[in-house]
Amino acid sequence: MLLKILFVLCPLWPARAAVTIYGQIPFGQTSGLAETSTADGPVDTTVPKSSAYDNTILTPPAPPQDQALTFTLHLPASNATVQNLSIMQLGSFFGFSIEMSVVTQLMGKNASVLQVPFLNLMGLIQQRSGGVKIRIGGNTQDFAVYVDELPDGHATAKEKSDLKNPTLTPAVQYTKELFYLASNISSLVNVRWYFGIPFNDTNWRLQIAEHSQTILGDNLIGLQAGNEPDYYLGHGHRTEPYGPYEYFTEFQNLVTTIQNNPNIPIKNMLIGPSLASGPWTPEQLWETGYLDAFKDNLVAITMEHYPTNNCFVQFGVGRLVEPYLHTSTLAREAGKPFIMFETNSATCGGLPGISDSFGAALWAIDYGLTMAAANFSHALIHVGGQSVYYNPFTVAEVFGKSNVSQIVDISNNGLFTPSYAIYESGALSKVALMNFMDDPSGEHDITGTIMVDGGQVPAEIYVKFVYFQTLE
């Protein structure tokens, strides 16, 4: 059996849930069962089922035969002697990155017509974390165009796809309704927002910055300046030469333009560089002097990353954060949050049988806790309208609402059984154990013994399981 186990040394309310955003298909179609009956018996229709009713089972990989199934963790009761302990983490560590082209599908048609399922999801996460951070943007933000109004009062509308865009996501037109839509959501649930300034060229279209600051006020927490600029040349959005120094020059041009714009009162809300760590490494950009030059303009330092092999079975997710450990240190030295601004199990909407599996939901939990242990301030799960499974609740429950939780990776039993300890207000609070081995017979269940050094395990503890019968 595949398990994720939370040993909780403080009270925690029970909840089990998973969330799926399914293709760009009207909700009424995805919410119905995919079978109908006739006099001759059941008939399979072409109407897709909601993922809540998806009973497809795939063949999982065989469990390793050399994996130790018992291990012991020695954990100090106090964090005073704990090495590699993270920064204090918020319960809202996991947020969402929503592709601008699917805003009305997920969030609502406009400020007057909100999607109730979306509000319910935000409310459930808020109960566990205290709030949610959402970024509106992605590839479509760079080519977004402001218009005064759209037919039928829509906040956004899609134009023909840009063939140079790697995901073929459509360009977007938007009106002020987009920001009133976000503002009305924030009036009902504790959601705060990131938006992005179009960066397809340097004829800056700054209406997103102007209207978001005016309408959202304190619920706006940052404006992205460039989405994966290290791919601009390869995607045909720039011409040779274009590298870190050219991006530096464009960023400086944007800063100067914002400084001279009276309709953007807050000048230091920019977020960058949001590299995909493809053609450029973060260090190549730091060599330009970017951090020193723009530290007074940046509200946060951001990166974007997906697993290179597009597969959740990339156990040992610590390798995914290794390219960012130096940047994490630089961010702390600069006093800036360090954010994984866009991530998920695979690029371009994920891979069937991988991104839409229970294993991917567990993988995201492990990846999130790994990023938190590496001092990312938070991470945004990207939602592009495709079939991707994820669980935003467990990480929120691991950290809770105190906003003083710290995490340390304590894994000592191989790639398939990662472990984490969480300290709250300096005291050991929770332990998270995971088992990625799929074996319905139970022969690969794990047994972890937790020894508390310098303290005692409470007489009563709470244990939470997040599990399913199979990895797939």
Side-chain angles (χ1 to χ4, degrees):
M1 178 179 291
L2 184 69
L3 297 178
K4 174 158 191 319
I5 308 173
L6 289 181
F7 289 87
V8 184
L9 306 183
C10 62
L12 188 66
W13 57 90
R16 284 180 52 196
V19 182
T20 303
I21 304 301
Y22 224 73
Q24 296 190 33
I25 302 168
F27 179 76
Q29 294 183 31
T30 61
S31 61
L33 295 176
E35 284 191 353
T36 187
S37 298
T38 67
D40 298 323
V43 176
D44 189 22
T45 73
T46 59
V47 178
K49 290 186 290 186
S50 167
S51 295
Y53 303 97
D54 183 359
N55 58 3
T56 303
I57 302 296
L58 305 175
T59 302
Q65 298 305 309
D66 57 351
Q67 173 70 45
L69 302 178
T70 61
F71 56 95
T72 300
L73 300 171
H74 290 270
L75 304 176
S78 167
N79 69 359
T81 60
V82 177
Q83 296 182 351
N84 302 316
L85 196 64
S86 77
I87 61 175
M88 291 185 181
Q89 296 291 0
L90 305 178
S92 56
F93 180 86
F94 258 158
F96 297 97
S97 164
I98 298 179
E99 192 67 47
M100 198 171 182
S101 59
V102 300
V103 163
T104 54
Q105 174 195 343
L106 303 181
M107 293 167 40
K109 171 184 172 181
N110 54 37
S112 301
V113 184
L114 308 182
Q115 288 279 18
V116 174
F118 178 84
L119 294 175
N120 288 341
L121 171 59
M122 296 301 105
L124 289 171
I125 299 173
Q126 178 183 319
Q127 288 175 5
R128 293 157 173 81
S129 67
V132 187
K133 297 180 179 67
I134 297 179
R135 170 260 193 137
I136 304 297
N139 289 304
T140 45
Q141 81 184 27
D142 275 345
F143 292 85
V145 176
Y146 175 79
V147 295
D148 290 330
E149 60 181 352
L150 288 167
D152 201 26
H154 280 272
T156 65
K158 304 170 188 177
E159 294 184 317
K160 185 178 180 181
S161 297
D162 173 18
L163 296 181
K164 295 179 181 179
N165 200 321
T167 57
L168 293 181
T169 43
V172 172
Q173 294 178 328
Y174 69 95
T175 72
K176 285 185 182 180
E177 278 294 305
L178 174 61
F179 310 104
Y180 288 117
L181 167 62
S183 181
N184 283 358
I185 290 172
S186 295
S187 71
L188 298 171
V189 285
N190 185 20
V191 175
R192 303 184 73 200
W193 306 88
Y194 299 103
F195 278 85
I197 296 171
F199 216 88
N200 63 308
D201 58 44
T202 55
N203 297 314
W204 305 112
R205 302 186 302 280
L206 297 177
Q207 293 93 338
I208 284 179
E210 295 171 352
H211 297 315
S212 63
Q213 286 198 10
T214 300
I215 295 170
L216 289 172
D218 291 342
N219 286 322
L220 177 70
I221 48 180
L223 294 165
Q224 186 184 23
N227 183 66
E228 300 178 341
D230 46 335
Y231 278 129
Y232 282 171
L233 181 63
H235 292 163
H237 299 160
R238 297 292 191 275
T239 58
E240 289 276 15
Y242 192 81
Y245 283 92
E246 284 71 27
Y247 171 68
F248 178 102
T249 300
E250 292 181 348
F251 198 99
Q252 178 65 73
N253 185 300
L254 175 62
V255 167
T256 301
T257 304
I258 289 176
Q259 293 290 342
N260 295 328
N261 187 324
N263 297 321
I264 305 176
I266 303 175
K267 311 295 185 181
N268 60 344
M269 293 196 74
L270 295 181
I271 284 173
S274 303
L275 302 184
S277 300
W280 312 343
T281 66
E283 284 68 27
Q284 286 176 306
L285 184 60
W286 307 151
E287 289 172 0
T288 67
Y290 176 93
L291 288 177
D292 287 336
F294 303 122
K295 62 183 179 182
D296 293 333
N297 309 104
L298 290 165
V299 71
I301 297 169
T302 55
M303 293 290 163
E304 302 181 12
H305 187 69
Y306 294 81
T308 54
N309 67 352
N310 284 349
C311 179
F312 73 86
V313 192
Q314 184 167 341
F315 300 109
V317 293
R319 289 174 295 180
L320 295 180
V321 301
E322 284 179 0
Y324 306 111
L325 296 180
H326 178 225
T327 298
S328 174
T329 299
L330 294 178
R332 291 200 311 278
E333 292 174 350
K336 304 293 182 183
F338 183 38
I339 305 169
M340 180 60 74
F341 212 56
E342 178 180 323
T343 191
N344 214 315
S345 54
T347 57
C348 302
L351 296 176
I354 293 177
S355 299
D356 54 353
S357 71
F358 180 72
L362 282 191
W363 172 89
I365 297 170
D366 187 22
Y367 188 26
L369 297 182
T370 298
M371 285 188 285
N375 292 317
F376 281 84
S377 302
H378 54 275
L380 307 182
I381 302 172
H382 191 61
V383 178
Q386 300 88 348
S387 302
V388 178
Y389 292 12
Y390 48 86
N391 174 355
F393 304 107
T394 301
V395 172
E397 292 177 347
V398 165
F399 293 127
K401 295 190 286 187
S402 70
N403 296 334
V404 294
S405 294
Q406 295 173 278
I407 187 170
V408 60
D409 189 331
I410 55 173
S411 304
N412 67 357
N413 193 47
L415 299 178
F416 297 94
T417 58
S419 308
Y420 302 88
I422 296 88
Y423 289 80
E424 191 167 354
S425 299
L428 181 63
S429 171
K430 308 179 185 76
V431 177
L433 306 179
M434 303 184 73
N435 181 3
F436 277 101
M437 294 178 288
D438 191 308
D439 186 351
S441 73
E443 291 184 3
H444 285 82
D445 287 0
I446 61 173
T447 300
T449 301
I450 300 172
M451 306 293 292
V452 180
D453 300 333
Q456 293 182 340
V457 175
E460 183 180 50
I461 65 172
Y462 293 80
V463 180
K464 171 167 288 189
F465 296 84
V466 179
Y467 68 92
F468 194 63
Q469 290 85 356
T470 176
L471 189 70
E472 300 291 335

